[in-house]
Amino acid sequence: MDRLRSPGGCPWDAEQTHESLLRYAVEEVHEVVEAVESGDRDAMREELGDLLLQVVFHARLAQEHPDEPFDVEDVARGVVEKLVRRHPHVFGDAGAVEGADLHRQWDRIKREEKPARGALDGIPPSLPALARAQKVVSRLRRAGYPPPVADAVPDDADLGSRLLALVVEAEGRGVDAEGALRRTLRAVEADAREADPPGPIQDVD
């Protein structure tokens, strides 16, 4: 990456910025998800490498910052320190914990690291709506708030409320709502591909 980014390297790599690379990072994450859910081990290895490349690329760009540079070793060191700090039951003398106590311990340590952090801070606004909703519901539950939809939704409720009710149900059952929908869509797509199409699809866009 240093060779690609340096004079005499690749012109395309040399002109990239953190901002210009963002869409590639998002794409690579989705490709990792697809590889894992499809069970394709070769694709998983390749896509994890592509995702790692994004980390290496961003870290190389960060070295060039005039005031606050850091490199890939700093990134890796920060991850190691965080893992050790947030797992005192493994690396410290906190004793064995499991289940819900693990989540509470994790949340407590995060609050100590960032005292001003609220229950919903740090949830990326760019997450797909379904995944973001489940993250919000999970965070609220772990913080002691009641579910945002506690009762059955009436028939005349808006579509968003009904979708949220399903997310609450999924979160309560430990089901990844986004993943469940993807699996169902794959089955629908497979059935559609096996069936003879009634005719050419008209693009209405």
Side-chain angles (χ1 to χ4, degrees):
M1 196 69 251
D2 185 66
R3 174 80 179 273
L4 291 171
R5 183 73 181 175
S6 298
C10 174
W12 185 88
D13 289 273
E15 68 183 12
Q16 299 311 304
T17 65
H18 289 298
E19 292 75 17
S20 70
L21 291 174
L22 289 180
R23 69 185 184 96
Y24 300 108
V26 172
E27 289 171 5
E28 297 302 348
V29 168
H30 285 289
E31 290 176 5
V32 168
V33 171
E34 174 65 23
V36 171
E37 291 187 344
S38 69
D40 187 332
R41 301 288 294 179
D42 289 337
M44 192 188 310
R45 183 181 62 249
E46 179 182 353
E47 299 305 341
L48 285 171
D50 290 344
L51 184 58
L52 179 59
L53 172 59
Q54 294 302 307
V55 175
V56 173
F57 206 149
H58 278 280
R60 176 60 181 83
L61 284 171
Q63 288 180 251
E64 302 169 16
H65 194 280
D67 303 316
E68 300 174 285
F70 60 83
D71 61 19
V72 71
E73 290 187 9
D74 295 317
V75 172
R77 187 181 304 111
V79 171
V80 171
E81 292 173 354
K82 180 184 292 186
L83 288 174
V84 171
R85 188 170 60 247
R86 294 187 181 179
H87 292 82
H89 55 292
V90 177
F91 300 103
D93 55 3
V97 291
E98 57 185 27
D101 289 337
L102 274 175
H103 291 299
R104 282 192 286 269
Q105 175 179 271
W106 183 275
D107 290 338
R108 176 182 55 78
I109 294 171
K110 287 173 67 175
R111 286 195 301 272
E112 291 172 355
E113 293 172 355
K114 301 176 181 179
R117 189 183 183 93
L120 301 180
D121 290 345
I123 300 177
S126 60
L127 276 176
L130 188 61
R132 180 172 170 78
Q134 187 153 13
K135 192 73 172 178
V136 168
V137 170
S138 174
R139 289 278 192 90
L140 290 176
R141 178 183 59 77
R142 284 161 58 176
Y145 293 95
V149 181
D151 303 318
V153 179
D155 292 339
D156 60 351
D158 67 280
L159 183 60
S161 294
R162 285 185 282 156
L163 286 170
L164 181 57
L166 290 173
V167 170
V168 172
E169 178 185 349
E171 199 280 329
R173 294 168 55 185
V175 174
D176 175 13
E178 190 89 14
L181 181 57
R182 280 198 303 270
R183 288 191 294 274
T184 300
L185 284 173
R186 281 198 186 92
V188 171
E189 292 168 1
D191 290 343
R193 291 189 180 101
E194 291 178 2
D196 290 331
I201 296 175
Q202 300 298 319
D203 193 345
V204 296
D205 292 338

